[in-house]
Amino acid sequence: MEKTNKADLPKYDSNPFTLAFNSFGRLFNTNAGWAVTLIVLGVLGFFWQMFGNLIQLAGSPESSSSTTRSVEMADKLPAASSAASSSDTNVAAVVLIVIGIVILVLIMIAVFSAISTFISGMFTYVAIKSEQGQKVSFSEAWNETSKRFIRLYLAQLLAGLKIFGWTLLFIIPGIIAAFRYTLLPFVVMGDSGDTKGARTAHASTKTIVKGRLMEVFGIATVAGLIPFVGDILRLTGNAALYSQMKIYSDANAEKPKVHWLNYLGFMLLGFVLLLVLFILAIVALVAVASQT
């Protein structure tokens, strides 16, 4: 296949910051209602997480004290009562209860994951269409996601199993696999609604991101650095990244060199590691000095 002239293609932006923020602006310009919804959900999620952490921290001492009181009360119970309760225990009933709880938990996980996948698919579709300058109504997003839901759900499930398996065997390949399949929902939602097969979605994703995983990592770094709107920047940034990757991949065109800012995450991790080592060295020197 012949390579297409770069002049016939849109400019490829490898800078994760400009890519994410420009796509963020395109979402607002094209589908402002969806953008506002995403921001509100992101802010509410942030505060809900903070509130949950505070509740957990505040409840920990009381939980431990209540546990202690429960143990003390249990110690005071007559031995006869303990013997009677143990004799009344029905092993079969306990097994049935455990099985029932496990089944219920699995059903809840399946339901919540299906709902989460569907909602995520709708927002992914909107982000892709925003890159094309198209407005999207709620009914359109709902219908288009419905057409692709089975494929999207199975593809995501298969990706999750692959990532989990690689993580169990070797942690680093598991992390690489996670970044490799980051754009998987965009591939599914960007394909025609008649396209079938979870494995074909995986193959398309691998082809699109081949040799450009650092750009996926760059978008994740940008999203992690920006509070409140990090999730929406990840969504729009990945939509923009997918769109230009697909155009260049379909045209068999050469992409520009990966921008150095995509490596910023590694730089920050290295800086944090050096800072930790420096603090540990200072603590060790102080400890040695105090002993002499």
Side-chain angles (χ1 to χ4, degrees), residues 2 14 25 127 136 211 229 233 261 273 280:
E2 294 184 0
S14 185
V136 180
V229 295
L233 284 174
L261 281 173
L273 180 60
L280 290 176

Side-chain angles (χ1 to χ4, degrees), residues 12 183 186-187 190-191 204 208-209 240-252 255:
Y12 192 101
L183 298 185
F186 298 87
V187 171
D191 284 345
S204 298
I208 289 174
V209 302
L241 185 61
Y242 157 74
S243 297
Q244 64 183 17
M245 278 185 172
K246 180 169 175 53
I247 292 173
Y248 273 68
S249 179
D250 291 345
N252 195 31
K255 303 180 182 71

Side-chain angles (χ1 to χ4, degrees), residues 3-212:
K3 293 186 178 181
T4 303
N5 192 332
K6 280 189 176 182
D8 301 328
L9 298 172
K11 181 181 178 182
Y12 192 101
D13 186 5
S14 185
N15 185 326
F17 286 89
T18 57
L19 188 66
F21 281 99
N22 288 339
S23 60
F24 179 83
R26 286 190 290 270
L27 178 65
F28 255 98
N29 293 333
T30 310
N31 292 286
W34 290 94
V36 171
T37 301
L38 279 168
I39 290 178
V40 170
L41 290 175
V43 172
L44 290 177
F46 175 81
F47 283 111
W48 177 257
Q49 184 177 6
M50 293 292 294
F51 179 74
N53 292 337
L54 291 175
I55 292 296
Q56 185 177 5
L57 290 174
S60 296
E62 183 161 344
S63 299
S64 60
S65 61
S66 62
T67 303
T68 304
R69 289 196 298 268
S70 299
V71 172
E72 291 174 353
M73 291 178 63
D75 291 339
K76 295 178 181 178
L77 289 175
S81 174
S82 176
S85 62
S86 61
S87 62
D88 293 336
T89 301
N90 190 321
V91 177
V94 172
V95 171
L96 288 175
I97 291 173
V98 171
I99 294 175
I101 292 174
V102 170
I103 293 175
L104 180 61
V105 170
L106 291 176
I107 292 174
M108 291 178 64
I109 291 175
V111 170
F112 283 118
S113 65
I115 294 174
S116 175
T117 300
F118 193 93
I119 294 174
S120 175
M122 292 178 66
F123 284 118
T124 301
Y125 179 81
V126 172
I128 293 173
K129 289 300 178 182
S130 295
E131 289 301 305
Q132 301 170 3
Q134 300 180 19
K135 292 183 179 294
V136 180
S137 65
F138 181 85
S139 59
E140 179 186 350
W142 180 279
N143 293 332
E144 294 300 326
T145 305
S146 299
K147 293 178 184 178
R148 300 165 174 81
F149 174 71
I150 299 299
R151 187 183 185 219
L152 177 62
Y153 188 81
L154 293 178
Q156 291 280 68
L157 179 62
L158 180 59
L161 292 175
K162 287 182 178 181
I163 294 170
F164 179 72
W166 278 112
T167 303
L168 287 180
L169 294 174
F170 308 100
I171 296 177
I172 299 300
I175 296 174
I176 295 174
F179 283 111
R180 179 181 297 121
Y181 293 115
T182 296
L183 298 185
L184 178 62
F186 298 87
V187 171
V188 175
M189 298 308 299
D191 284 345
S192 169
D194 298 327
T195 307
K196 306 296 182 182
R199 292 185 179 276
T200 58
H202 280 230
S204 298
T205 304
K206 289 179 182 179
T207 300
I208 289 174
V209 302
K210 184 178 181 181
R212 312 298 291 194

